[in-house]
């Protein structure tokens, strides 16, 4: 997957390494997971006799057990989970608060985040916000529409080291588009309606430098009508 992000030389190198691990596994190149279901389901990929040809010691009980890093865990935040398993509150998310949350996680814990992905129900949007990230490489956008009758429920999954589930859940709840959260967001703005400010009116001028003019904030930031 994600073959559009690397060069042909990188693809050849990775495929050679994969064939060294399992020479029998088929390789399909794709971008954004665009691959036929028929090529990944019911392909009878595991065959014991073939596996023993590759590794005759596969069933040897004397083999050393596989070692796993116990610091690597996963956390799922699912508004659609049963009540006794759900760690987050229901409701649409504020887009700015949610993306600030994701950017903070990527920047502060990026080295320890192996993967995060999710589908978000954003307030006022009829489209799903779908994102995924590997370490600090993030990609996301509004894509398919919510269908009539489909529950507007957000889901986030984190895989990495040292994950704090309680912190992730509480921060998620702070991103809900509730009056309390939106009031808190507005209180963090540097300037408020009525404040006197200086505004840069043009770009940099070689002779005069930057040009500024006196102004007044007339309203708080609001969602653009053209937003998805």
């Amino acid at each position: 997957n994600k073959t559009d992000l690397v060069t042909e030389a990188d693809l050849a190198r990775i495929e050679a390494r994969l064939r060294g691990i399992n020479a029998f596994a088929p390789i399909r190149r794709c971008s954004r997971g665009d691959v036929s279901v028929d090529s990944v389901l019911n392909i009878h990929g595991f065959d014991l006799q073939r596996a023993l040809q590759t590794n005759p010691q596969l069933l040897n009980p004397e083999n050393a057990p596989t070692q796993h890093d116990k610091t690597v865990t996963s956390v799922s935040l699912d508004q659609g989970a049963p009540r006794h398993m759900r760690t987050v509150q229901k409701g649409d998310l504020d887009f700015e608060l949610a993306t600030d949350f994701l950017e903070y996680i990527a920047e502060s814990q990026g080295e320890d985040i192996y993967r995060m992905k999710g589908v978000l129900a954003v307030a006022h949007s009829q489209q799903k916000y779908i994102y995924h990230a590997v370490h600090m490489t993030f990609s996301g956008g509004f894509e398919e529409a919510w269908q009539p009758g489909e529950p507007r429920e957000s889901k986030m999954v984190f895989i990495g080291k040292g994950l704090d589930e309680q912190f992730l859940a509480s921060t998620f709840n702070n991103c809900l588009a509730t009056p309390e959260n939106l009031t808190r967001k507005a209180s963090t703005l540097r300037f408020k309606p009525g404040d006197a400010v200086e505004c840069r009116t043009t770009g940099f001028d070689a002779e005069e430098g930057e040009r500024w003019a006196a102004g007044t904030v007339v309203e708080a930031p609001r969602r653009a009508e053209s937003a998805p």
Side-chain angles (χ1 to χ4, degrees):
N1 194 25
K2 303 182 184 179
T3 56
D4 56 314
L5 302 180
V6 296
T7 66
E8 181 64 30
D10 288 330
L11 291 173
R13 175 177 53 81
I14 294 170
E15 289 182 359
R17 184 177 178 185
L18 291 174
R19 290 193 178 94
I21 297 173
N22 186 343
F24 301 103
I27 296 176
R28 299 282 186 271
R29 294 186 180 186
C30 67
S31 176
R32 300 181 69 84
D34 185 11
V35 63
S36 169
V37 174
D38 294 336
S39 65
V40 294
L41 296 181
N42 297 321
I43 61 174
H44 308 291
F46 180 76
D47 181 273
L48 180 58
Q49 297 305 316
R50 189 171 61 192
L52 287 171
Q53 292 177 16
T54 304
N55 181 11
Q57 300 300 313
L58 179 65
L59 301 180
N60 186 349
E62 302 300 324
N63 285 340
T66 303
Q67 298 296 320
H68 297 280
D69 186 346
K70 295 183 179 180
T71 65
V72 177
T73 59
S74 65
V75 171
S76 175
L77 307 179
D78 186 353
Q79 290 182 318
R83 180 178 299 180
H84 68 285
M85 298 177 62
R86 190 169 65 239
T87 58
V88 294
Q89 300 169 12
K90 291 201 172 190
D92 285 355
L93 298 170
D94 177 78
F95 182 64
E96 187 175 10
L97 291 175
T99 51
D100 284 349
F101 168 40
L102 294 173
E103 288 176 5
Y104 172 78
I105 294 298
E107 292 175 2
S108 65
Q109 299 178 244
E111 292 186 3
D112 292 330
I113 297 292
Y114 299 150
R115 186 77 186 272
M116 61 179 182
K117 60 193 302 185
V119 178
L120 306 183
V122 175
H124 310 296
S125 176
Q126 299 306 312
Q127 293 178 290
K128 302 174 183 179
Y129 184 81
I130 300 174
Y131 74 90
H132 62 88
V134 177
H135 294 297
M136 288 166 278
T137 302
F138 182 93
S139 176
F142 288 97
E143 298 189 21
E144 61 187 81
W146 293 98
Q147 298 301 310
E150 180 182 8
R152 291 176 59 93
E153 296 170 338
S154 297
K155 299 176 178 61
M156 289 182 171
V157 176
F158 303 85
I159 302 173
K161 297 178 65 175
L163 298 176
D164 186 337
E165 182 173 4
Q166 184 175 357
F167 167 77
L168 294 172
S170 64
T171 307
F172 176 97
N173 290 333
N174 287 337
C175 296
L176 293 170
T178 63
E180 296 79 11
N181 288 340
L182 297 180
T183 299
R184 175 176 52 82
K185 183 179 79 167
S187 70
T188 65
L189 294 174
R190 181 182 178 186
F191 301 111
K192 296 177 174 58
D195 286 354
V197 295
E198 281 190 311
C199 308
R200 191 173 70 179
T201 56
T202 63
F204 182 82
D205 184 275
E207 296 182 358
E208 300 182 21
E210 294 180 335
R211 297 176 181 175
W212 295 78
T216 303
V217 178
V218 296
E219 65 176 339
R222 57 188 175 85
R223 178 178 177 272
E225 292 297 330
S226 60

